[in-house]
Amino acid sequence: MPLDSPAVTQNDTDLGPNESEPRSQLTKIANPSEDFEKKASSKRLKDVEIYVPIVYGTIAFWLGKKATETQSHRWSVYVRGATNEDLSGVIKKVVFQLHPSFNNPVRVVESPPFELSECGWGEFEIAISLHFHDDAGEKKLDLYHHLKLYAENEHGPQSTKKPVVVETYNEVVFPDPPEDFFSRIQNHPAVVVPRLPATFKLPPAPIEDLHESKRGDTKNHPLSPWFINFSEADELLKLTAARQRVQAHIVKLRRQLSVMDEQPPTCKLDSD
């Protein structure tokens, strides 16, 4: 599987993209356990959901004349923002679990971009664990991705100028987020937040360094020319925004009903 030499950096800007069918899904974080609930330093916002659109996947390059039976491809696995935003405001670290034949198969990436590069000859499933910042009060999220080295829909010899790209679009949903977490990331470009009713009182949002917020984005990443442009992602984000508007309206109606339930009953006297 692996190659004993160091990881190969991806800097070939003349390689063409590989046509791949994007996949999409929505993952909702389950209710946190008591241990993770303690990590949240503030109370939770009920009936509120935060969405973080992400993409995870692999890009594999055939080594051409340099390829051997055990050294055929160089590849990268990564987690990025759906439109290449920096995810470090939400994600604290990413743990990649490679095939056990690799040296140090468990790789921890604690700063963006959340990725690693390796060389090898075989395809296998990569486990990807997203660990969130403590103020999110959530446990890790486990994802799984199958490394593909060979295109399924193409025939003929491989090309060093056309990598095999497999990516999955996902919306990670944080239900009932802690107030401090919501306040900190509400203006972050990687996060989709709802329109809250005016009755919500939140801690003031911290002043964010714009340069720092872009430090880990992948807009100018060496692999960005081959990232899949999810044409459906824009539609999914529009649907997300629509869901958020409906959710905000539901929250408003619930609060109105709650106020009505607390009011004492009134009796209307018969004029007769």
Side-chain angles (χ1 to χ4, degrees), residues 156-268:
Q158 294 188 79
S159 171
T160 58
K161 295 184 178 181
K162 195 171 186 180
V164 175
V165 183
V166 181
E167 292 190 328
T168 299
Y169 173 93
N170 198 321
E171 288 181 6
V172 182
V173 183
F174 294 84
D176 303 337
E179 283 187 353
D180 288 348
F181 175 62
F182 183 94
S183 177
R184 181 175 65 81
I185 54 85
Q186 61 180 314
N187 296 321
H188 197 286
V191 180
V192 179
V193 299
R195 295 180 180 179
L196 298 179
T199 54
F200 271 97
K201 302 297 182 182
L202 293 172
I207 299 177
E208 186 175 10
D209 186 334
L210 293 179
H211 175 73
E212 187 69 15
S213 67
K214 296 181 179 180
R215 178 177 59 87
D217 68 31
T218 52
K219 298 182 187 298
N220 297 314
H221 192 281
L223 292 178
S224 61
W226 303 288
F227 289 158
I228 295 176
N229 181 15
F230 283 83
S231 59
E232 63 189 51
D234 290 339
E235 295 302 321
L236 289 170
L237 290 175
K238 290 178 182 178
L239 290 175
T240 297
R243 287 199 301 268
Q244 298 285 20
R245 289 193 294 269
V246 172
Q247 183 187 47
H249 187 60
I250 291 174
V251 171
K252 181 179 179 181
L253 290 177
R254 284 179 178 174
R255 290 181 176 273
Q256 291 176 345
L257 290 174
S258 177
V259 171
M260 293 176 63
D261 289 341
E262 293 175 357
Q263 293 179 349
T266 58
C267 296
K268 183 177 181 181

Side-chain angles (χ1 to χ4, degrees), residues 7 17 27 53 83 97 100 102 105 112 115 120 133 141 155 174 209 229 233 236 241 243-244:
T27 301
T83 52
Q97 175 73 56
F102 281 87
E115 65 178 13
H133 287 285
L141 175 63
H155 303 283
F174 294 84
D209 186 334
N229 181 15
L236 289 170
R243 287 199 301 268
Q244 298 285 20

Side-chain angles (χ1 to χ4, degrees), residues 95-114:
V95 179
F96 297 95
Q97 175 73 56
L98 306 182
H99 191 273
S101 60
F102 281 87
N103 292 326
N104 185 26
V106 179
R107 311 285 179 87
V108 181
V109 181
E110 297 183 328
S111 61
F114 298 109

